[in-house]
Structures are given as C-alpha cells and as structure tokens.
Amino acid sequence: LDFMMNHIAETTAGKGEESSEVGASEFAINIYVAVRRYSAEPDFLSYLLLILGKLPDPVVRGNKGLCAELLRIFTTHFETADGTRNITKQK
C-alpha cells in the first residue's frame, strides 16, 4: 500500500499539497475495498495479494500466461462439431 500511496501522491502533485494527500488516501482506500470485496474472483484475489505484498508481480504474469495457454489447448483439443468454443464439464 505504501508504494501505491507514494505513486498516487506523485501523480496528484501540484493540486495543493494537503488535498492531494487526502485524495490519494481516499483513492487507495477505495481501491483496497473494491479489490477486497471481489476477492472471490481469481484476478481480484491476485490483486489483493499483490496489494498486501504477499504475491510478486512475475507470478501473476506467469499465471495469466498459463491460463491463456491452457485455454488454447482446451479449445483445440475439445473442438465441437457445431463450432462453439465453450468447454463444458462433460468434456
């Protein structure tokens, strides 16, 4: 959170020192609350873990690449006769 607070404060600099710090704090709090609220979703859970400093950024990028590769493999392996790209549990 400290990293995010510092960079938010840098981007809002010049709008009044006190108001930019308050705005940065409110923005960071809103981001944290929103990410925590939707943390049941895998992407938001990874964002929450990143914010809390429990997950390094390269791991997230690697997992997104892995998900894309798995989806590509599944869609080519389980192609249907009707041309849909949905992967059902029955397959």
Side-chain angles (χ1 to χ4, degrees), residues 5-17 19-25 27:
M5 290 292 296
N6 290 338
H7 284 75
I8 292 171
E10 288 175 7
T11 59
T12 58
K15 297 181 180 178
E17 199 63 37
S19 66
S20 67
E21 285 188 23
V22 171
S25 297
F27 183 76

PDB file of all heavy atoms in Angstrom, residues 5-17 19-25 27:
ATOM      1  N   MET A   5       0.434   4.416  -2.442  1.00  0.00           N
ATOM      2  CA  MET A   5       0.202   5.740  -1.872  1.00  0.00           C
ATOM      3  C   MET A   5       1.230   6.744  -2.382  1.00  0.00           C
ATOM      4  O   MET A   5       0.886   7.879  -2.713  1.00  0.00           O
ATOM      5  CB  MET A   5       0.246   5.680  -0.343  1.00  0.00           C
ATOM      6  CG  MET A   5      -0.926   4.968   0.279  1.00  0.00           C
ATOM      7  SD  MET A   5      -2.447   5.869   0.082  1.00  0.00           S
ATOM      8  CE  MET A   5      -2.089   7.325   1.017  1.00  0.00           C
ATOM      9  N   ASN A   6       2.497   6.333  -2.458  1.00  0.00           N
ATOM     10  CA  ASN A   6       3.549   7.239  -2.935  1.00  0.00           C
ATOM     11  C   ASN A   6       3.339   7.623  -4.398  1.00  0.00           C
ATOM     12  O   ASN A   6       3.512   8.778  -4.768  1.00  0.00           O
ATOM     13  CB  ASN A   6       4.921   6.601  -2.761  1.00  0.00           C
ATOM     14  CG  ASN A   6       5.313   6.493  -1.306  1.00  0.00           C
ATOM     15  OD1 ASN A   6       4.792   7.217  -0.454  1.00  0.00           O
ATOM     16  ND2 ASN A   6       6.198   5.563  -1.006  1.00  0.00           N
ATOM     17  N   HIS A   7       2.966   6.659  -5.221  1.00  0.00           N
ATOM     18  CA  HIS A   7       2.802   6.949  -6.636  1.00  0.00           C
ATOM     19  C   HIS A   7       1.516   7.701  -6.931  1.00  0.00           C
ATOM     20  O   HIS A   7       1.465   8.488  -7.871  1.00  0.00           O
ATOM     21  CB  HIS A   7       2.902   5.667  -7.448  1.00  0.00           C
ATOM     22  CG  HIS A   7       4.310   5.196  -7.581  1.00  0.00           C
ATOM     23  ND1 HIS A   7       4.983   4.594  -6.545  1.00  0.00           N
ATOM     24  CD2 HIS A   7       5.182   5.279  -8.596  1.00  0.00           C
ATOM     25  CE1 HIS A   7       6.204   4.317  -6.918  1.00  0.00           C
ATOM     26  NE2 HIS A   7       6.358   4.731  -8.163  1.00  0.00           N
ATOM     27  N   ILE A   8       0.483   7.476  -6.156  1.00  0.00           N
ATOM     28  CA  ILE A   8      -0.745   8.254  -6.320  1.00  0.00           C
ATOM     29  C   ILE A   8      -0.468   9.701  -5.937  1.00  0.00           C
ATOM     30  O   ILE A   8      -0.899  10.621  -6.618  1.00  0.00           O
ATOM     31  CB  ILE A   8      -1.898   7.677  -5.482  1.00  0.00           C
ATOM     32  CG1 ILE A   8      -2.328   6.328  -6.033  1.00  0.00           C
ATOM     33  CG2 ILE A   8      -3.090   8.627  -5.473  1.00  0.00           C
ATOM     34  CD1 ILE A   8      -3.299   5.589  -5.146  1.00  0.00           C
ATOM     35  N   ALA A   9       0.274   9.897  -4.860  1.00  0.00           N
ATOM     36  CA  ALA A   9       0.610  11.252  -4.421  1.00  0.00           C
ATOM     37  C   ALA A   9       1.450  11.974  -5.474  1.00  0.00           C
ATOM     38  O   ALA A   9       1.286  13.172  -5.687  1.00  0.00           O
ATOM     39  CB  ALA A   9       1.338  11.200  -3.091  1.00  0.00           C
ATOM     40  N   GLU A  10       2.334  11.255  -6.159  1.00  0.00           N
ATOM     41  CA  GLU A  10       3.158  11.867  -7.206  1.00  0.00           C
ATOM     42  C   GLU A  10       2.313  12.335  -8.383  1.00  0.00           C
ATOM     43  O   GLU A  10       2.558  13.395  -8.952  1.00  0.00           O
ATOM     44  CB  GLU A  10       4.202  10.869  -7.708  1.00  0.00           C
ATOM     45  CG  GLU A  10       5.320  10.605  -6.738  1.00  0.00           C
ATOM     46  CD  GLU A  10       6.252   9.513  -7.228  1.00  0.00           C
ATOM     47  OE1 GLU A  10       6.086   9.054  -8.389  1.00  0.00           O
ATOM     48  OE2 GLU A  10       7.132   9.110  -6.469  1.00  0.00           O
ATOM     49  N   THR A  11       1.320  11.554  -8.755  1.00  0.00           N
ATOM     50  CA  THR A  11       0.505  11.907  -9.922  1.00  0.00           C
ATOM     51  C   THR A  11      -0.470  13.036  -9.621  1.00  0.00           C
ATOM     52  O   THR A  11      -0.896  13.742 -10.528  1.00  0.00           O
ATOM     53  CB  THR A  11      -0.284  10.693 -10.438  1.00  0.00           C
ATOM     54  OG1 THR A  11      -1.121  10.204  -9.403  1.00  0.00           O
ATOM     55  CG2 THR A  11       0.650   9.603 -10.912  1.00  0.00           C
ATOM     56  N   THR A  12      -0.814  13.224  -8.351  1.00  0.00           N
ATOM     57  CA  THR A  12      -1.746  14.299  -7.999  1.00  0.00           C
ATOM     58  C   THR A  12      -1.026  15.527  -7.457  1.00  0.00           C
ATOM     59  O   THR A  12      -1.674  16.460  -7.005  1.00  0.00           O
ATOM     60  CB  THR A  12      -2.776  13.808  -6.957  1.00  0.00           C
ATOM     61  OG1 THR A  12      -2.081  13.353  -5.797  1.00  0.00           O
ATOM     62  CG2 THR A  12      -3.630  12.693  -7.521  1.00  0.00           C
ATOM     63  N   ALA A  13       0.295  15.533  -7.508  1.00  0.00           N
ATOM     64  CA  ALA A  13       1.047  16.680  -7.015  1.00  0.00           C
ATOM     65  C   ALA A  13       0.743  17.912  -7.857  1.00  0.00           C
ATOM     66  O   ALA A  13       0.488  17.826  -9.048  1.00  0.00           O
ATOM     67  CB  ALA A  13       2.549  16.384  -7.041  1.00  0.00           C
ATOM     68  N   GLY A  14       0.765  19.068  -7.223  1.00  0.00           N
ATOM     69  CA  GLY A  14       0.509  20.308  -7.915  1.00  0.00           C
ATOM     70  C   GLY A  14      -0.930  20.784  -7.775  1.00  0.00           C
ATOM     71  O   GLY A  14      -1.276  21.858  -8.213  1.00  0.00           O
ATOM     72  N   LYS A  15      -1.759  19.984  -7.145  1.00  0.00           N
ATOM     73  CA  LYS A  15      -3.150  20.362  -6.945  1.00  0.00           C
ATOM     74  C   LYS A  15      -3.391  20.844  -5.517  1.00  0.00           C
ATOM     75  O   LYS A  15      -4.509  20.936  -5.072  1.00  0.00           O
ATOM     76  CB  LYS A  15      -4.068  19.166  -7.215  1.00  0.00           C
ATOM     77  CG  LYS A  15      -4.016  18.666  -8.638  1.00  0.00           C
ATOM     78  CD  LYS A  15      -4.950  17.510  -8.820  1.00  0.00           C
ATOM     79  CE  LYS A  15      -4.903  16.986 -10.238  1.00  0.00           C
ATOM     80  NZ  LYS A  15      -5.775  15.834 -10.413  1.00  0.00           N
ATOM     81  N   GLY A  16      -2.356  21.147  -4.828  1.00  0.00           N
ATOM     82  CA  GLY A  16      -2.457  21.514  -3.424  1.00  0.00           C
ATOM     83  C   GLY A  16      -1.963  20.347  -2.604  1.00  0.00           C
ATOM     84  O   GLY A  16      -2.474  19.247  -2.707  1.00  0.00           O
ATOM     85  N   GLU A  17      -0.954  20.589  -1.800  1.00  0.00           N
ATOM     86  CA  GLU A  17      -0.273  19.514  -1.080  1.00  0.00           C
ATOM     87  C   GLU A  17      -1.218  18.725  -0.178  1.00  0.00           C
ATOM     88  O   GLU A  17      -1.242  17.511  -0.192  1.00  0.00           O
ATOM     89  CB  GLU A  17       0.886  20.111  -0.262  1.00  0.00           C
ATOM     90  CG  GLU A  17       1.930  19.120   0.152  1.00  0.00           C
ATOM     91  CD  GLU A  17       2.646  18.499  -1.022  1.00  0.00           C
ATOM     92  OE1 GLU A  17       2.893  19.183  -2.020  1.00  0.00           O
ATOM     93  OE2 GLU A  17       2.945  17.302  -0.941  1.00  0.00           O
ATOM     94  N   SER A  19      -4.626  18.624  -0.137  1.00  0.00           N
ATOM     95  CA  SER A  19      -5.753  17.988  -0.821  1.00  0.00           C
ATOM     96  C   SER A  19      -5.302  16.775  -1.628  1.00  0.00           C
ATOM     97  O   SER A  19      -6.046  15.811  -1.769  1.00  0.00           O
ATOM     98  CB  SER A  19      -6.471  18.984  -1.715  1.00  0.00           C
ATOM     99  OG  SER A  19      -5.630  19.395  -2.769  1.00  0.00           O
ATOM    100  N   SER A  20      -4.073  16.804  -2.171  1.00  0.00           N
ATOM    101  CA  SER A  20      -3.599  15.665  -2.943  1.00  0.00           C
ATOM    102  C   SER A  20      -3.345  14.466  -2.048  1.00  0.00           C
ATOM    103  O   SER A  20      -3.600  13.334  -2.447  1.00  0.00           O
ATOM    104  CB  SER A  20      -2.349  16.018  -3.733  1.00  0.00           C
ATOM    105  OG  SER A  20      -1.259  16.254  -2.875  1.00  0.00           O
ATOM    106  N   GLU A  21      -2.859  14.688  -0.831  1.00  0.00           N
ATOM    107  CA  GLU A  21      -2.644  13.578   0.095  1.00  0.00           C
ATOM    108  C   GLU A  21      -3.960  12.978   0.540  1.00  0.00           C
ATOM    109  O   GLU A  21      -4.090  11.763   0.644  1.00  0.00           O
ATOM    110  CB  GLU A  21      -1.820  14.028   1.294  1.00  0.00           C
ATOM    111  CG  GLU A  21      -0.354  14.221   0.984  1.00  0.00           C
ATOM    112  CD  GLU A  21       0.474  14.468   2.221  1.00  0.00           C
ATOM    113  OE1 GLU A  21       0.030  14.071   3.319  1.00  0.00           O
ATOM    114  OE2 GLU A  21       1.561  15.035   2.084  1.00  0.00           O
ATOM    115  N   VAL A  22      -4.952  13.807   0.799  1.00  0.00           N
ATOM    116  CA  VAL A  22      -6.273  13.314   1.187  1.00  0.00           C
ATOM    117  C   VAL A  22      -6.899  12.555   0.029  1.00  0.00           C
ATOM    118  O   VAL A  22      -7.450  11.467   0.202  1.00  0.00           O
ATOM    119  CB  VAL A  22      -7.187  14.473   1.650  1.00  0.00           C
ATOM    120  CG1 VAL A  22      -8.613  14.006   1.834  1.00  0.00           C
ATOM    121  CG2 VAL A  22      -6.658  15.096   2.925  1.00  0.00           C
ATOM    122  N   GLY A  23      -6.804  13.096  -1.166  1.00  0.00           N
ATOM    123  CA  GLY A  23      -7.335  12.425  -2.349  1.00  0.00           C
ATOM    124  C   GLY A  23      -6.642  11.101  -2.614  1.00  0.00           C
ATOM    125  O   GLY A  23      -7.290  10.115  -2.977  1.00  0.00           O
ATOM    126  N   ALA A  24      -5.328  11.070  -2.419  1.00  0.00           N
ATOM    127  CA  ALA A  24      -4.575   9.835  -2.615  1.00  0.00           C
ATOM    128  C   ALA A  24      -4.988   8.793  -1.586  1.00  0.00           C
ATOM    129  O   ALA A  24      -5.157   7.618  -1.922  1.00  0.00           O
ATOM    130  CB  ALA A  24      -3.077  10.109  -2.520  1.00  0.00           C
ATOM    131  N   SER A  25      -5.186   9.203  -0.352  1.00  0.00           N
ATOM    132  CA  SER A  25      -5.621   8.277   0.695  1.00  0.00           C
ATOM    133  C   SER A  25      -6.997   7.714   0.389  1.00  0.00           C
ATOM    134  O   SER A  25      -7.225   6.512   0.497  1.00  0.00           O
ATOM    135  CB  SER A  25      -5.652   8.962   2.055  1.00  0.00           C
ATOM    136  OG  SER A  25      -4.379   9.382   2.428  1.00  0.00           O
ATOM    137  N   PHE A  27      -8.462   7.491  -2.539  1.00  0.00           N
ATOM    138  CA  PHE A  27      -8.375   6.639  -3.724  1.00  0.00           C
ATOM    139  C   PHE A  27      -7.818   5.262  -3.354  1.00  0.00           C
ATOM    140  O   PHE A  27      -8.361   4.235  -3.773  1.00  0.00           O
ATOM    141  CB  PHE A  27      -7.500   7.306  -4.782  1.00  0.00           C
ATOM    142  CG  PHE A  27      -7.414   6.533  -6.062  1.00  0.00           C
ATOM    143  CD1 PHE A  27      -8.473   6.539  -6.961  1.00  0.00           C
ATOM    144  CD2 PHE A  27      -6.285   5.802  -6.378  1.00  0.00           C
ATOM    145  CE1 PHE A  27      -8.406   5.824  -8.150  1.00  0.00           C
ATOM    146  CE2 PHE A  27      -6.210   5.085  -7.556  1.00  0.00           C
ATOM    147  CZ  PHE A  27      -7.269   5.099  -8.441  1.00  0.00           C
TER     148      PHE A  27
END
